[in-house]
Each structure stands twice: as structure tokens, then as C-alpha cells.
Amino acid sequence: MSVPQYRKAAALTLVAGLGLGLAACSTKSDDASGDASGKVTITVDCQPVGAQKELLQNWNADVAEFQRLNPDIVVKSVSVGEQCNNPPDFTARLAGGTVTDVFYGYMTDLQQVLDSGQAMDITEYASKDTIPTWDSVDPALKEVFTDDGKLYAVPVKNYSMGLVYNKVLFQRAGLDVNNPPKTWTEVRDAAKKIAALGDGIAGYAEYSAGNTGGWHFTALLYAQGGQVLTADGSEADFNNALGRQVLQNLRDMRYGDDSMGDRQLLQWGDLLTNAGAGKVGMFIGAPDATQAIVSQFQGRFEDWAMGPLPGQDGPAKGTLGGGEGYFFKKDLTPEQVRAGLKWIAYQKLTPGKGQLDYARSKPQNYPVGLPQPLLFTNGSEAQRQELELRKANANVDTTNFANFEANPVPIKGEPRNAQAIYAVLDAVMSGVLTNPDANIDTLLKTAEEKVNKLLAAER
């Protein structure tokens, strides 16, 4: 799923234990590169699970059509169930060498994949010849999957974070649904008014566990104009006035205003469950957080809207972006790599096809109109085509995202070793949200020391 993806830092003991267990489940056939007829065969993971019947039907239809258009290629789909979103299982597949030929990973997985030795350099193969829209793909997304000038994966989804808010609660609290808060002072004022409605409603909700707290701390720090690491990535760079401001804002709302609710240590599903129940006024997230609220947590699209990420005293100076892509297993033949790139191009990067087949998604009641997946450079031909198709087939009110789209905030990618760093920063967020006497300076200093040790260990 594309809702703000995150992988937890997996323990080495899990890798060792699970890696052996998965060894017998290798997807590699006796001859994965071809068959007696001379066709090129590739295995691809993250086929939708059985419960997602229409998504699975769509995937299978795409495979069939792709193979009709490319009769020399055979795509063997592999479903690893929820393992595509389960960090320990993903790490175990890397350790056990059981990844598929073309395998899914998050943007924060690059270092883990490189460390495993499972990835193939695909720089010489990625071009307009294999991916017709390649020149339109945002260069910043390509850079995320690049190390030392070498490309290891193709981006297939991307998101940018903003302020997600409940229009119903805004109206009940006397707030303007078309004018969401633009600064943290305004967020604080709005949160107090929403929380005053009572009935267990949090004016503003925030993550603080399962790596999601560190993930959101990073986004809030970017909004302040800060960065998690120094420019060369060698040291932590959040133990400063900007990091303190992030935590002070949260402390003021949590304890000064009592506008964040009593329950803390929220992970991804916890917050969205509360949001779907109409108990959250605002939170920061990506556009498809609204999709998850509806499809998984019984909410309604019409209740939700988005604005840009607020800044401290004016527009945010940056926002967190991230997403996912497909890697290529080491030792594939050139023919397999080209076949895999052609499949990704068809299923993920062609307006009107695969995940961008909005005409198909609309009657299936999958949301069309969200400003996502943000794969193409603004003004490029592919971006124009995708936008036209999205608008023509929209089944959600695009005006709910107009403010977000009309006021773009510069996107900044996730830091190196993001998931390990997020795990450290969880303690900073949980500390300030669960202990009214927590010392912000101590929290930041302790986290800084841990992150610096983590970075030093890799040098």
C-alpha cells in the first residue's frame, strides 16, 4: 500500500531466524531467465492478496494484456501476502536470498538492500527504450534509489505530506473548512476549539511509536527548515533550536491546551482508526491517508480535506516526501532486466494503464482524484496526461485537495538510514507526549548520541 510507508529497523536475530525459514520458499525456478520457446521469464512480487479481489483481478488483467503486447515475455506473479508491508519478513527474504527477480521496496530500503548484496545495478538499462515515460519521472525520485551514481530501483509511487483535517469537526468548531491552519500557532488555536467539542475528540493527533513518531518528527523538522542529518550525512543535526521548537509545539498542545487526547503512543493504524471514527480533527499525512481512512477504517471521503504542511510563523520551509519502487535481483540476464523494466513501465508508469488506469478504477469505487502518486515532473508530458485522466475520472471531490495542490511545499527526501533513525526518534516523540516533566534538551541530546553512534558504526 502507498499510504505513508515505513519499515521498522529489523533485529539481526530476526534476520537470522527468519532467513533460514524462508530459504525453502525461493521463487527462483530451474531456469528463471527463459523457457524452451525462448521466452524471457521474470518473477515479480507484491501481487495483491486474495482479499483484494478487484485489485487482484486488475493485476491479472494487466499481466495478460502486457504478455499479449510482449509475447516474448512471461510474468510470474508472486504474492507474499502482507510481507510486502512487514519489515522483518522483507529483511528475512533479503537475508535468505528469496526475493523475486523484480522485488518491491520502500525508498528507505536502499541501504538495507545494498547491504544484503541482493540488488543489481540497472543504470545502463533504464531509458526511454524500456520505460517510455522515463524522461518525465521526477529526477529527485530516481536519486533516492541511486548510490554512488548507480541506479538500483525504479520509483513507482511517491507522496508529499500536508495537513489532513476533518471538515465536519471544523464546521462544528466554527472553523473555516476552506481555510485550514497555515502556521503552528493557527494549528494550536484550531486544535483547542475542536477538542472543546468533547466526546473524546482530539483536536490534533500525532504518532509516537513503531517508527512513525520519528517519521513525523522528521516531517515537522523539515517544516521548520531543519534537517535530521548534516549535509554530508555524517552526524545528527536535530539537537538544536529547530528540533526543540518541534517538541515545544507538541508539548504546548498536549499539556498546555489538552487538545491532543489522552491516548498516546499511537502507531499508523491507531491514529487512522480514531480518524475514521470521527475522533481526530487534524493530523499530518499524505493524500492517500484519506483513502486508508475510508477503505480500512470506515470513514467517509467527503469528511476530509488537505492543506499544505504548516510552518512555524508562515509557510513551511519543507515537507517530507517518500514512497516505493522496484529493485532487480542480482545476476539477472540483460533480457530479464529489460523485461522487468518494460513490465514496471506498463503497470506503474504509463498514464491510462495499470495503477494509472483511472477509467477502470472509477467504476470499481477506488478513489480517483487524489494528488498522488506524484511520479512525474511538473510540466512534463506524462504529468499532463496523468493529470488530465485523473480529473476526467475523479470520483472524489478534488476541491478537498485544491489548497494542498495550489500551495506546494518543497519536498525533502528521507534521511540516510531513515528507519533506524526513526526508531531512535520515536523515544523523543513518546517522551514529550507521555511525560509532562520530560526534559526536551535531554531527549534530543540522548537521541543525538544514539544516532551518531549508529552512523559511526557504518563508517
Side-chain angles (χ1 to χ4, degrees), residues 392-416:
N393 294 283
N395 57 9
V396 298
D397 187 352
T398 57
T399 62
N400 287 335
F401 301 92
N403 197 306
F404 174 75
E405 289 199 89
N407 298 281
V409 175
I411 296 175
K412 186 176 176 66
E414 298 183 82
R416 170 174 157 241

Side-chain angles (χ1 to χ4, degrees), residues 64 146 197 253 288 323 334:
T146 300
L197 296 173
M253 289 193 289
D288 63 355

Side-chain angles (χ1 to χ4, degrees), residues 170-192:
F170 260 53
Q171 289 174 326
R172 287 180 55 195
L175 299 167
D176 185 352
V177 297
N178 297 314
N179 187 29
K182 299 178 180 63
T183 67
W184 281 99
T185 298
E186 293 177 1
V187 170
R188 184 177 178 183
D189 290 342
K192 284 190 289 188

Side-chain angles (χ1 to χ4, degrees), residues 165 167 301-307 397-403:
Y165 61 98
K167 293 168 62 179
F301 271 116
E302 55 267 33
D303 292 349
W304 295 92
M306 276 192 73
D397 187 352
T398 57
T399 62
N400 287 335
F401 301 92
N403 197 306

Side-chain angles (χ1 to χ4, degrees), residues 154-413:
V154 176
V156 298
K157 285 187 179 177
N158 179 47
Y159 70 84
S160 170
M161 296 179 75
L163 184 71
V164 183
Y165 61 98
N166 186 310
K167 293 168 62 179
V168 173
L169 295 180
F170 260 53
Q171 289 174 326
R172 287 180 55 195
L175 299 167
D176 185 352
V177 297
N178 297 314
N179 187 29
K182 299 178 180 63
T183 67
W184 281 99
T185 298
E186 293 177 1
V187 170
R188 184 177 178 183
D189 290 342
K192 284 190 289 188
K193 293 177 181 177
I194 295 169
L197 296 173
D199 195 26
I201 294 172
Y204 176 84
E206 189 53 272
Y207 295 126
S208 55
N211 288 32
T212 57
W215 172 47
H216 270 206
F217 176 87
T218 299
L220 297 174
L221 184 64
Y222 287 174
Q224 295 284 343
Q227 56 188 15
V228 173
L229 302 180
T230 54
D232 63 3
S234 64
E235 294 183 316
D237 193 21
F238 52 77
N239 183 15
N240 50 41
L242 299 178
R244 286 191 288 277
Q245 186 65 68
V246 169
L247 298 182
Q248 190 63 53
N249 288 341
L250 296 175
R251 167 180 276 176
D252 289 344
M253 289 193 289
R254 172 75 172 95
Y255 297 109
D257 305 335
D258 193 23
S259 63
M260 294 184 64
D262 294 331
R263 185 187 174 198
Q264 298 300 321
L265 299 178
L266 302 179
Q267 298 190 44
W268 181 78
D270 303 321
L271 193 157
L272 297 188
T273 297
N274 296 341
K279 300 297 184 180
V280 174
M282 297 174 288
F283 65 96
I284 65 169
D288 63 355
T290 60
Q291 177 181 344
I293 289 171
V294 175
S295 63
Q296 298 182 49
F297 303 103
Q298 290 73 55
R300 304 191 312 163
F301 271 116
E302 55 267 33
D303 292 349
W304 295 92
M306 276 192 73
L309 191 65
Q312 186 60 33
D313 301 306
K317 297 178 180 178
T319 186
L320 178 63
E324 58 209 60
Y326 269 95
F327 293 88
F328 289 70
K329 190 176 183 178
K330 66 177 181 179
D331 299 330
L332 295 182
T333 67
E335 291 77 17
Q336 284 180 293
V337 177
R338 294 189 185 97
L341 289 170
K342 287 182 178 180
W343 162 248
I344 293 172
Y346 179 86
Q347 222 280 325
K348 303 294 185 181
L349 296 171
T350 300
K353 303 294 183 182
Q355 72 166 344
L356 304 178
D357 188 349
Y358 300 135
R360 177 176 66 186
S361 299
K362 181 178 181 179
Q364 294 177 342
N365 291 321
Y366 287 105
V368 178
L370 303 181
Q372 211 166 304
L374 297 175
L375 287 166
F376 305 117
T377 303
N378 282 339
S380 66
E381 180 60 20
Q383 190 265 349
R384 183 190 63 79
Q385 294 174 357
E386 186 273 336
L387 181 59
E388 288 181 355
L389 288 169
R390 177 156 42 100
K391 288 182 175 180
N393 294 283
N395 57 9
V396 298
D397 187 352
T398 57
T399 62
N400 287 335
F401 301 92
N403 197 306
F404 174 75
E405 289 199 89
N407 298 281
V409 175
I411 296 175
K412 186 176 176 66

